[in-house]
Amino acid sequence: MQQSQALYEKGQFVEEVQLLKKAAGEFKATNDVLNEAITLSNLSLAYQQLGQWLEATEAIAQSIKLLQTLKDSGSSQEQSQIFAQTLDVRGGLELARGQTEAALGTWQEVAKIYQHLDDISALIRNHINQAQAMQALGNYLQADQTLISVREILKKQSDSSLKAIGLYSLGNVRRSLGYLKDSQEILEKSYSVARQAGDAIAQSNALLSLGNTARAQTSAQLSLGNSSSAKDYTKTAIQYYQQAVQIASATPTVRLQAQLNLLRLLVEQKEFNRAKALLPQIQSQIDNLPPSRTAVNYRINFAQSLSKMIQNSVQLKDVAQMLAQAVQVAKSLKDERTESYALGTLGELYEQTRQLTDAKGLTQQALVKAESIDAQDIAYQWHWQMGRILQKQSNIPAATAAYNRAYNALKSLRNDLVAINPDVQFSFRESIEPVYRQYVDLLLQLKENTNQKPDNLLQARQVIESLQLAELDNFFRSPCLLPRVDLDKLVEKEKSTAVIYPIILDNRLEIITRLPGQDTIYRKTAKVPKDVLENTVEQLQKDLPVASREPDVKQRSQQLYDWLITPIESDLTKKGIKTLVFVLDGSLRNIPMAILYDKQQQKYLIEKYAISLTPGLQLVDPKPLRNVHLNVLVVGVEQKRLIEGKSFPELLNVTQELKQVQSEVKSSKKLLNQEFTKTNLQKQIQSTPFSVVHIATHGQFSSDVEQTYIITWDALLKIRELDNLLRARGESRPETIELLVLSACKTATGDKRAALGLAGVAVQAGARSTIATLWTVDDESTSDFMGELYRQLQAGVTKAQALQRAQLAILAKENRPYFWAPYVLVGNWL
């Protein structure tokens, strides 16, 4: 048993399995039931490291059966402890095999035993395991609350190795939930506690994780467009990895992992000379690894970095050889998952070097392995790879079919992709989004068919829809709302409404339009390259919040009008369309469609149509507001505030704005300044069925969930908490908030996908519709606008028409878009 423990620590799992089998046989022969059960539990752990799931499952089931027989004849404290530890192993196995609910159930059962035994350290580990299972099931708030309780327990512990390990696990889970700043602080604490305790292993683990969190920060900053901030985090990550390598001589696996992560980071930063210096050290360690699933993953990781250095003194044959070894080790272990991964990565290498026949063969083998164990999270990657290879071979129909399979695999994974692979949230742009876009591109190449209802047009629209939802899932790190109603049916009922889907592709803008009558779906194309379109939008986004830049705004909005509206204008006129519902793609979400300018008629789009946005065809069940009694909760912060180190200036017209709203609506309740706290907001929403919640306060939308918030008197109310508050009515008050108005909010500067935060709020708040501002106008025009908006809502027009009329009322007095254009309606336009 002791020998096997030593082998486990060295990673020699094949030898360990032989020893444990022998030990189990000897214990059985001497009828030592307790030790036989312990041995089988350890055997299950060793099998898990080898990826041999059936054997692992069999061993743990036998172990539990033996312990049950002992339990029936009365159990000691030691036996209870061993039973709990064995169930812990079963929970880990269930989670690894995707049986998440079973794992959570197992760990909840174990928690009761640890509580009874008063085993605090085991309880901490157990809660962290439970939180991971809850997260995998999408129960993020439950996971969060569980972790808060862990944090409280840890605070009371004196500094020790155990405390360092608890903090380390907590920091890792916080990273996978997207709380990067929090993760960094907890891991720093873990490192300092490990130093105090003189525990080198815990120190190196904390440093490795600190490097991983800093690397995640790099990705987050890059997606926000903050390249200088991303550089700083990269430097920090490199320093942490280097420190981990220095300390980790006691734990070779941590050392190697830190070196591999460091190599990957240096290669991503194109620091090839520093990367080259690492290669001999990594190579010699990898050559000496005993066979295990981890050893295969290390080889694949190393090969992926090497493949990016092929132009820089790395030979293709060396990379291919490294991956071929990985395939052999995985084969010898009978680990089909890692074998699939190694084969597919080798296929990718051949694809990269244009050896397409070999690439295709290997990708096919990888696919067969992945499908045989139903590993959709890797199967989608090989279907996608196959699609790219077939496209390079000019076989467009077969490529499209392969992309369709990748898309379906992603759809089936939608709920748990982030849970299976937390890295996905930081590499969504590289690993998920292109599958959808490239598939749409192929679908629209299949037939140059513009007017009928061809399946590929409907499918293209469906795919771009799914991308929108996947993007929101990734934003929240959990699955968003489920489809409620079909927008198509609504369009048939609302005869004067058209739905417009612009799709941004590399070399063109596709515009798919759904018009009422005969299920008509049209497709038009504007030959504008993606970078030209995005530069125009970006410039416009910068110009809009500056009142004096009206001439530039007009010029750029005119350009966008020509690309987006001109191709479909005659269809809209023919059908007598009065309302446009946009399902916007990419950067187009960052600007209001109302400002598109028709040079011929010298009119903005808002002067011709009522306009609404929706994150997709799936809406909260829409119903007209005119059937609803208006009862408004108006809240706001007018005074200057300093919260969480951020300074927010005074908002001069908030009192005036709230008065204006109250004067138009008979039934209302107000919370201003000190009264507007989280607790008061929650109390009001729980006690009264408000149909409208009107919030006038500083706020920000960002593509980073942590940077999407509104301010209350004394706190930043993050988007996840807003969701809890606004849905707080519970079962007893199931009424939906009809309209959420967010005045004085803005999109984060320089964030190319900032409006993703607005879509997130609209979906997450559980309101049927949201009206929000894309930049702050602290001017009396805002209170005039709000007064007119509520006047129109009272008059019984649709929300989209009420918004249009309120904007036109401001435009009549003040032509500059800065004053009338920041307002957008998201969700139900009726």
Side-chain angles (χ1 to χ4, degrees), residues 95-146:
L95 189 71
R97 298 199 71 183
Q99 299 157 352
T100 316
E101 283 178 20
L104 183 56
T106 298
W107 281 326
Q108 284 168 339
E109 187 186 336
V110 174
K112 290 174 194 160
I113 304 173
Y114 287 140
Q115 265 160 344
H116 179 68
L117 294 169
D118 201 25
D119 186 341
I120 300 296
S121 60
L123 205 53
I124 290 170
R125 278 196 306 274
N126 173 278
H127 280 332
I128 288 167
N129 287 339
Q130 281 193 47
Q132 279 180 302
M134 288 166 188
Q135 186 193 336
L137 289 166
N139 304 339
Y140 283 73
L141 289 160
Q142 213 182 336
D144 225 23
Q145 280 152 2
T146 306

Side-chain angles (χ1 to χ4, degrees), residues 185-206:
E185 284 166 12
I186 294 167
L187 290 167
E188 280 168 357
K189 181 79 177 138
S190 168
Y191 175 60
S192 100
V193 170
R195 277 187 69 179
Q196 285 286 321
D199 185 334
I201 294 175
Q203 283 177 63
S204 55
N205 274 322

Side-chain angles (χ1 to χ4, degrees), residues 34-35 124 181 207 298 330 348 427 459 479 524 559 615 722:
L34 189 61
N35 276 318
I124 290 170
K181 193 163 159 272
L207 287 165
Y298 284 163
E348 188 182 3
S427 64
Q459 179 71 354
K524 294 285 166 59
Q559 184 60 81
L722 182 69

Side-chain angles (χ1 to χ4, degrees), residues 543-830:
D543 292 340
L544 277 164
V546 185
S548 59
R549 292 194 191 157
E550 192 207 350
D552 299 335
V553 166
K554 233 176 200 173
Q555 186 199 336
R556 294 197 169 93
S557 335
Q558 192 184 308
Q559 184 60 81
L560 279 169
Y561 188 98
D562 290 345
W563 291 329
L564 255 174
I565 305 298
T566 305
I568 58 175
E569 189 130 45
S570 60
D571 299 328
L572 300 176
T573 312
K574 249 186 272 174
K575 291 277 184 187
I577 298 300
K578 292 193 176 65
T579 302
L580 302 180
V581 178
F582 286 93
V583 182
L584 291 175
D585 185 25
S587 58
L588 287 169
R589 284 180 288 208
N590 286 343
I591 53 165
M593 291 292 104
I595 50 122
L596 302 190
Y597 189 68
D598 178 353
K599 193 184 178 185
Q600 280 180 323
Q601 293 187 19
Q602 299 203 335
K603 279 183 177 174
Y604 287 103
L605 195 62
I606 197 69
E607 297 178 78
K608 299 157 73 165
Y609 302 99
I611 295 169
S612 166
L613 310 174
T614 170
L617 286 183
Q618 292 102 1
L619 280 168
V620 177
D621 188 14
K623 67 177 182 185
L625 191 61
R626 55 182 170 269
N627 305 338
V628 176
H629 163 67
L630 280 195
N631 181 11
V632 185
L633 174 63
V634 291
V635 301
V637 175
E638 187 165 52
Q639 294 174 19
K640 183 180 174 184
R641 304 303 296 144
L642 180 68
I643 301 172
E644 289 186 25
K646 292 180 165 76
S647 177
F648 298 96
E650 187 180 5
L651 284 168
L652 294 166
N653 288 287
V654 165
T655 302
Q656 177 58 28
E657 178 180 328
L658 300 190
K659 268 188 188 151
Q660 191 80 323
V661 174
Q662 286 189 292
S663 72
E664 294 300 334
V665 180
K666 297 289 169 282
S667 174
S668 66
K669 171 80 183 153
K670 181 170 79 176
L671 300 173
L672 183 61
N673 292 330
Q674 291 93 327
E675 296 172 325
F676 176 27
T677 62
K678 238 186 265 190
T679 317
N680 285 351
L681 181 64
Q682 192 157 17
K683 269 187 200 152
Q684 287 300 330
I685 282 174
Q686 280 177 338
S687 63
T688 314
F690 292 107
S691 52
V692 181
V693 176
H694 183 109
I695 304 178
T697 182
H698 287 288
Q700 177 175 275
F701 305 117
S702 163
S703 60
D704 175 356
V705 72
E706 281 293 274
Q707 295 303 316
T708 297
Y709 56 80
I710 59 169
I711 74 158
T712 62
W713 177 251
D714 53 0
L716 292 189
L717 185 56
K718 303 274 173 72
I719 181 173
R720 289 170 175 173
E721 300 170 286
L722 182 69
D723 163 39
N724 294 345
L725 288 178
L726 296 180
R727 292 176 189 259
R729 307 164 173 227
E731 296 306 306
S732 59
R733 311 198 80 92
E735 303 92 345
T736 303
I737 294 170
E738 292 296 330
L739 179 62
L740 170 67
V741 180
L742 297 168
S743 163
C745 291
K746 59 175 189 177
T747 51
T749 318
D751 179 351
K752 288 182 174 158
R753 294 169 182 256
L756 183 62
L758 168 56
V761 170
V763 164
Q764 197 77 342
R768 268 187 234 279
S769 318
T770 301
I771 288 179
T773 53
L774 294 179
W775 60 90
T776 306
V777 183
D778 183 34
D779 178 89
E780 59 194 66
S781 64
T782 302
S783 45
D784 291 350
F785 169 86
M786 292 301 173
E788 188 59 36
L789 176 75
Y790 284 96
R791 241 190 316 284
Q792 294 295 339
L793 289 172
Q794 290 277 41
V797 301
T798 67
K799 293 172 193 168
Q801 286 166 337
L803 175 65
Q804 179 190 26
R805 290 174 189 183
Q807 284 180 297
L808 292 177
I810 303 298
L811 190 148
K813 294 182 211 165
E814 172 55 84
N815 193 28
R816 285 176 292 176
Y818 168 79
F819 291 99
W820 59 261
Y823 309 97
V824 290
L825 169 66
V826 185
N828 166 28
W829 69 94
L830 294 179

Side-chain angles (χ1 to χ4, degrees), residues 404 406-415 417 428 432-433 435-437 439-440 443 458-474 480-481 483 501 503 583-585 589 615-618 756:
N404 178 253
Y407 163 69
N408 285 328
L410 271 177
K411 247 185 13 185
S412 73
L413 279 174
R414 193 186 139 209
N415 288 4
L417 191 60
F428 185 83
I432 306 284
E433 189 176 330
V435 182
Y436 292 93
R437 290 205 184 281
Y439 180 31
V440 166
L443 281 167
L458 282 173
Q459 179 71 354
R461 190 183 69 162
Q462 185 61 50
V463 173
I464 226 60
E465 272 286 309
S466 301
L467 171 60
Q468 305 261 8
L469 281 174
E471 211 176 6
L472 281 170
D473 287 350
N474 189 61
C480 271
L481 85 173
Y501 293 79
I503 301 172
V583 182
L584 291 175
D585 185 25
R589 284 180 288 208
L617 286 183
Q618 292 102 1
L756 183 62

Side-chain angles (χ1 to χ4, degrees), residues 218-226 426 429 703 750-753:
T218 302
S219 303
Q221 291 304 314
L222 282 174
S223 73
L224 295 172
N226 304 339
F426 306 117
R429 312 271 171 268
S703 60
D751 179 351
K752 288 182 174 158
R753 294 169 182 256

